[in-house]
Every structure is written in C-alpha cells, then in structure tokens.
C-alpha cells in the first residue's frame, strides 16, 4: 500500500444518521488523499449509490462479506478502518474486521438509542466514538472531525 487505504464498514442501514456520516467521512478521507473503500450489505450499498449518484463523496463501494473474504485471503488490506454500528450485529462485524486488521488504526463509531450500552460491551481494541444519535449527525460529526485531525 503506497497511500492510505481507508475502509468504512457500514452497519445495517436502519438508523438514518449512518448514511450522512458515511458520506461525510468518505468525503473527508478523500479530501485528505485517502483511497476510500466502503463496505456494506446490498441495502446499505444501494442507499449510498442513491444518496451520492454522481459520486462526489463516496469512494469505492464493495460487498461486506466479499471484503471480509478478501482480507482473510490477503488480497486486500487497509491502513485505517472506521466501523459504524448501532446493534450487536454491527459490533460483531466490527470485531471480526478488527481481528483481521490488527495493524490498522481502528475506529468504532457507535450510534443509536442504545449507543452507551453497546459501547460498554465492546471488548476489543478500538478507538470508540460514541453518541446517542439517531437522526442528528452533528455530535458525531464533531467527534469524527476531532479524530480525523490526528488519525489521517
């Protein structure tokens, strides 16, 4: 890897704040010169395609399970990963990717109505960014800006 390759790992697209954060984070990482890959399930990827049809902010969109398989088989790696989660399944995917990318800078963005409780149950190494956000992304945006200032 010659430049920073960043992975944004989308969780289930059920909570509205996620797509706004993905667009913002992808655009910010691209502004800093990172090559951005966004992994998600088919529904999350389709929401992203519709939200940014001209690809002004998004990086490359890739299937979540395919991404994990590519990492396992050493076909792909990332310098930095931002995983978004608002439920146990999202935390589980994040833990899996974290275990597969032990050398990467790893950030776990936890949001939703039970954000604090979910964060308390995370037992793997990650810089946690936590906010009880469902519709309003501004609190998380501010925290992400703080991380981007030193992490990338």
């Amino acid at each position: 890897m010659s430049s920073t390759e960043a992975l944004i790992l989308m969780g289930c697209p059920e909570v509205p704040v996620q797509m706004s954060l993905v667009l913002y984070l992808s655009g910010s990482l691209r502004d800093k010169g990172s090559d951005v890959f966004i992994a998600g399930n088919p529904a999350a990827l389709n929401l992203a395609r519709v939200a940014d049809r001209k690809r002004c902010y998004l990086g490359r969109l890739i299937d979540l399970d395919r991404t994990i398989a590519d990492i396992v088989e050493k076909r792909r790696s990332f310098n930095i990963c931002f995983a978004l989660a608002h439920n146990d399944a999202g935390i589980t995917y994040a833990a899996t990717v974290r275990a597969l990318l032990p050398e990467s800078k790893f950030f776990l963005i936890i949001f939703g109505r039970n954000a604090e409780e979910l964060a308390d149950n995370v037992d793997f190494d990650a810089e946690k960014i936590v906010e009880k956000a469902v519709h309003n992304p501004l609190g998380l945006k501010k925290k992400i800006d703080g991380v981007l200032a030193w992490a990338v």
Side-chain angles (χ1 to χ4, degrees):
M1 292 180 286
S2 57
S3 65
T4 300
E5 292 195 346
L7 173 64
I8 299 173
L9 188 67
M10 291 191 288
C12 168
E14 184 178 22
V15 179
V17 74
Q18 178 175 261
M19 191 51 56
S20 174
L21 293 171
V22 168
L23 292 168
Y24 182 76
L25 185 55
S26 179
S28 296
L29 288 166
R30 291 178 69 186
D31 288 347
K32 290 180 171 277
S34 296
D35 196 8
V36 179
F37 297 78
I38 302 166
N41 67 28
L45 294 174
N46 284 333
L47 284 168
R49 287 182 184 102
V50 171
D52 187 20
R53 69 179 181 88
K54 291 188 176 181
R55 295 290 177 96
C56 296
Y57 305 102
L58 293 174
R60 287 183 245 179
L61 298 173
I62 51 179
D63 178 77
L64 175 60
D65 293 328
R66 174 67 182 240
T67 301
I68 291 172
D70 286 347
I71 295 169
V72 167
E73 295 174 14
K74 310 277 187 220
R75 288 190 300 258
R76 192 177 297 270
S77 188
F78 300 95
N79 309 94
I80 187 167
C81 178
F82 290 87
L84 292 98
H86 70 89
N87 58 22
D88 290 334
I91 298 293
T92 300
Y93 270 106
T96 299
V97 173
R98 178 57 174 147
L100 296 171
L101 297 172
E103 303 300 321
S104 299
K105 295 178 189 173
F106 197 90
F107 300 91
L108 179 56
I109 302 170
I110 305 171
F111 55 95
R113 297 189 199 293
N114 302 314
E116 289 93 359
E117 293 84 1
L118 279 173
D120 288 344
N121 294 323
V122 171
D123 62 356
F124 55 91
D125 183 35
E127 183 78 29
K128 292 185 274 186
I129 303 167
V130 182
E131 183 85 23
K132 203 171 192 171
V134 174
H135 295 98
N136 185 349
L138 294 180
L140 280 170
K141 177 203 165 290
K142 185 175 181 180
K143 291 177 180 177
I144 289 169
D145 285 342
V147 166
L148 290 174
W150 60 266
V152 181

